Amino acid sequence: NTYNFNFYSINVDGTKLWQFDGGTGFYSSPAIDPDGIIYVGSWDGKFYAFNPDGKVNWSVTANPLSDINSSPAVGSNGVIYVGCKNGVFYGLQSPEIEDEDREDWAFVTGDAIVDSSPAIDANGTIYFGSRDNNIYAVNPGNMNLAESEWPMFRKMPDHNAMASNITIPDIISTFPVDISIDVSVGVSQI
């Protein structure tokens, strides 16, 4: 029962398909694009793109170097969105994309940590939180969630059908209010 810092791909029957030694380990959940490429960040500041067979397709290193604990989200435009503890939210593409067609970008938040996993809505707006007490809504234009088996944390926008028909307002408060409410949670044995 020791933590071995590896990233694993597991078959449906529970057997190991492949593993990758990630140095300092992985904290985030992976995302998968329509071509089966698997994306995940690591504690050593590297963001990996794995082929379905476990070989590294490409990787980038956060600058400044910092943990990538956010689970990525894959856009229909081929850009992968992920936050980093260095306070930067990244839009990344494969190095194979030619320079004039690249859509890489970085959005700097007001604090040194971005841990939340991004969500992409039906209009292509990307939502993520930061420890600067803000929720950000960024829309790079002409993009939706990728149509793949697992494009973002908890799979799809409804996050396993736990929420539906939710309307997000056009304006989101950037200064959350701390409201103390007594909540009683009961647990019963089934």
Side-chain angles (χ1 to χ4, degrees):
N1 292 343
T2 60
Y3 188 71
N4 65 12
F5 305 108
N6 291 328
F7 182 72
Y8 292 92
S9 177
I10 307 296
N11 289 309
V12 176
D13 65 5
T15 59
K16 180 175 65 175
L17 182 61
W18 53 263
Q19 76 181 54
F20 177 79
D21 179 3
T24 59
F26 298 89
Y27 182 78
S28 71
S29 299
I32 304 172
D33 77 8
D35 296 324
I37 304 297
I38 303 156
Y39 302 97
V40 66
S42 69
W43 285 348
D44 61 3
K46 290 190 178 179
F47 185 78
Y48 294 96
F50 293 101
N51 291 326
D53 64 2
K55 290 185 175 55
V56 175
N57 185 305
W58 57 271
S59 68
V60 295
T61 303
N63 186 14
L65 187 65
S66 188
D67 300 357
I68 301 176
N69 293 341
S70 170
S71 296
V74 182
S76 61
N77 57 358
V79 179
I80 298 83
Y81 303 97
V82 66
C84 183
K85 274 193 171 182
N86 65 11
V88 179
F89 187 79
Y90 294 98
L92 303 169
Q93 282 189 297
S94 167
E96 296 173 359
I97 306 294
E98 296 295 324
D99 284 343
E100 63 271 4
D101 296 326
R102 292 189 69 79
E103 295 185 34
D104 291 345
W105 51 267
F107 179 89
V108 179
T109 65
D111 197 305
I113 297 181
V114 176
D115 278 338
S116 77
S117 299
I120 302 173
D121 73 10
N123 297 318
T125 302
I126 307 159
Y127 298 91
F128 63 95
S130 174
R131 290 204 179 167
D132 63 1
N133 296 322
N134 290 305
I135 295 174
Y136 293 91
V138 178
N139 191 320
N142 198 23
M143 184 272 301
N144 294 338
L145 185 62
E147 292 184 23
S148 71
E149 290 298 314
W150 206 277
M152 68 179 174
F153 184 63
R154 300 224 174 155
K155 193 173 183 177
M156 300 304 284
D158 64 3
H159 297 288
N160 295 328
M162 298 300 290
S164 62
N165 298 324
I166 294 176
T167 302
I168 299 174
D170 291 336
I171 300 172
I172 297 175
S173 171
T174 59
F175 300 98
V177 178
D178 183 17
I179 300 174
S180 297
I181 300 174
D182 291 331
V183 177
S184 176
V185 178
V187 178
S188 58
Q189 189 170 356
I190 299 176

